[in-house]
Amino acid sequence: MLIRFTIENFLSFRDKEVFSLIPGKGTLKPQHKSKPLKGTSVLKTAVVFGANASGKSNLIKAIEFGKKLVLKGSKAEQPITFDVFKLDKKSVKDNSKIEYEIQHKNKNYAYGFIFNSKEIIEEWLFEINKNSETKIFERTNSNHFDLTFLSKKNKKEEIQFIEFTAKGTPRNQLFLTQIRNTNVTENVSDISDLLNIIDWFQNALTVIYPNSKNIGKKFELLENTDLQKLFTEMLDYFDTGIDGIDFKEIDFNKIDVPDEVKEDIKNDLLSEKSEKKGAFLSNPQDDKYYLVTKSKENELEAKLLKTMHKVIGGTFELFDLKDESDGTRRIMDLIPLIIDFFKGGNVFIVDEMERSLHPNLIYDLFDFFLSKCDDINSQFIVASHESTLLTQKLLRKDEIWFAVKDKQGISHLHSLEDYNIRFDKEVRRDYLLGRYKGIPKLGNRNKLTVLPFNND
C-alpha cells in the first residue's frame, strides 16, 4: 500500500509536493480505509482530477520512474534519464527528490533518494512507526553508507559482503538496484527489509497508461481460477455483448510480440521471487490477445484469446479482439487488474481510466471495488477527467485530489479535504465552475484571427 509519495524538481513539479493516502478526520465510508498497521491506516482509493497538462500524468510518471530505477537501474557510465523542472534556471541545476512511504510485509517504510542526471546523491530506507523510526540504511555524499542496523542482523563476514556490495554500487545506481542485481541474499543472514522494498516495486506496484497496450502485463492468479469463466462473466457484467471466451493453445515462442517482451515475461513468471503467475499480452499491430500462464511443471503455456458471439440460429462465431470495440478492448485491459485487486496486496495506478469507457461503467467499476474491499488491502489510484466520479456518494473528501498548474507552469497538488464543505455537498458542479481549481482556463474565441469565420 502507498502511504505517501513526495516529489520535488521532476517534470512540471518544481516545489516539494506530497500526495497522501493517509485518511483525514472524516468518519464516513470506514471500509475505504485499511486496518491500522502499527498505528497507520491507508486509503484504498484516490482520484486525481485536473485540466490537461496540469500535472496528473507527470505525477504518475514520477511514481513509475522510481519503480524502473529500482528494478532496471541505469547503464554503466550512462546518465540517469529524466527531466527536471525546466522553466526555472535554478531548478535546472538543482537535484531532484522522490520518496515513497509504503506498507508492505506488515511494516511501514520510507524509501527515497535525491539524485541528478549524473548520480544518486542520497538514498535512505527507514522503518517508520507512529512515534518512532528505525534507520535501515542511509547513503550520503553519493557513496558513503551507514549500514549500522544491518550490521546487527548479520555476522561479521556477512556485513563485510554487504559493505563490499555498497562500495561497488555505481554512482548512477541505487543501492537497492545493486542488491537486486548481485547475489547478496545467498551470502547474508538477514536483509529482509531491503528485499521487502524491492518486492513492493516488483510485485505490488502496477502503473497503466491510457494508450499502453497489454504488452507484458503480468498478474497474479488465485488457485484453481477458471479464467475462461472469469473473463466471460466480467465481459457479460460490463455489457459488452460478448457471449463467451475461447482459448486456442499456441506455442509461446511463436507469439508475435517483440523478443525482449517474451524474454521479460519468461524471466518474471519463472522467477522464484515473482508472485506473478500469468501475463496478458497483445500485439499493437493486430490487436491479438494472448494469455500466458505458468504450469505446475514450471513451464510457460500460451493461449490465443478469442471472443464468441451467438449467430442467429444458435451457433457461435469466433472473433479476434481487433474486431471488438475500443471500449471492449479497454475492459480486457482491466480484467487482469481486477483479478489482482481482489487477491490483495496490490497498488494500481491508472492514467485516464475513462478512455473509451462509458461514464456509468467507470462509476460502477469504482463502486464495485469499494463495495467489495472491506477485507482486501489493495489500492486503486486514478488520474481522470471523468467528473461523474466527483461525488461524496462514491468517494470520501480525502480521496479526491486536484492537480493545478500555476502561471509559472509549476504543478501543485491539493485535496478536497482542504475545503470546508459538508459531507452531503455535491461537489461536481462547483468543480466544473472552478471552485476547486484544476479545470482548463479557456481563452477568448474572438481573439482567434486566423480561422476563416466572421466575429461580427
Side-chain angles (χ1 to χ4, degrees), residues 309-447:
H309 289 266
K310 189 174 292 184
V311 178
I312 296 174
T315 60
F316 290 91
E317 183 73 23
L318 296 180
F319 287 73
D320 286 324
L321 260 292
K322 67 180 180 180
D323 300 316
E324 302 292 349
S325 69
D326 288 344
T328 296
R329 295 201 297 270
R330 181 62 165 164
I331 291 170
M332 281 290 191
D333 289 347
L334 297 177
I335 289 177
L337 180 154
I338 295 169
I339 294 171
D340 278 2
F341 182 90
F342 288 110
K343 188 177 186 298
N346 288 291
V347 179
F348 299 99
I349 302 183
V350 185
D351 194 11
E352 293 188 28
M353 176 79 181
E354 69 276 8
R355 183 179 66 82
S356 301
L357 295 178
H358 192 279
N360 288 356
L361 193 153
I362 291 294
Y363 186 99
D364 186 81
L365 187 60
F366 264 85
D367 189 51
F368 176 49
F369 282 147
L370 293 171
S371 66
K372 301 291 185 181
C373 71
D374 288 35
D375 299 316
I376 296 170
N377 281 346
S378 283
Q379 280 176 312
F380 190 40
I381 300 167
V382 171
S384 179
H385 295 290
E386 184 48 66
S387 61
T388 56
L389 299 176
L390 194 53
T391 171
Q392 293 186 85
K393 293 179 181 179
L394 179 69
L395 301 170
R396 296 162 49 105
K397 288 200 303 180
D398 45 18
E399 294 171 327
I400 297 172
W401 282 77
F402 304 101
V404 181
K405 186 175 285 187
D406 65 23
K407 293 180 179 179
Q408 295 178 304
I410 304 169
S411 293
H412 303 279
L413 299 170
H414 66 280
S415 168
L416 189 63
E417 184 79 1
D418 299 334
Y419 296 86
N420 184 23
I421 61 172
R422 286 175 50 87
F423 70 90
D424 57 352
K425 171 77 172 178
E426 276 303 328
V427 296
R428 179 174 180 267
R429 178 178 177 275
D430 285 350
Y431 167 70
L432 294 176
L433 290 174
R435 178 181 176 189
Y436 310 116
K437 304 177 183 178
I439 62 169
K441 296 179 179 179
L442 304 179
N444 185 343
R445 66 185 63 169
N446 292 324
K447 292 184 178 180

Side-chain angles (χ1 to χ4, degrees), residues 236-248:
D236 178 64
Y237 175 79
F238 289 119
D239 192 29
T240 62
I242 293 173
D243 296 302
I245 293 293
D246 189 44
F247 291 122
K248 299 291 185 182

Side-chain angles (χ1 to χ4, degrees), residues 107-138:
K107 290 185 177 183
N108 300 318
Y109 292 106
Y111 171 70
F113 43 93
I114 295 173
F115 61 105
N116 56 46
S117 62
K118 295 181 180 179
E119 60 185 341
I120 307 296
I121 306 297
E122 298 181 26
E123 185 181 1
W124 59 88
L125 174 61
F126 287 78
E127 182 183 350
I128 52 175
N129 296 310
K130 195 168 185 179
N131 299 311
S132 65
E133 59 181 36
T134 301
K135 183 196 299 181
I136 308 300
F137 82 86
E138 188 173 27

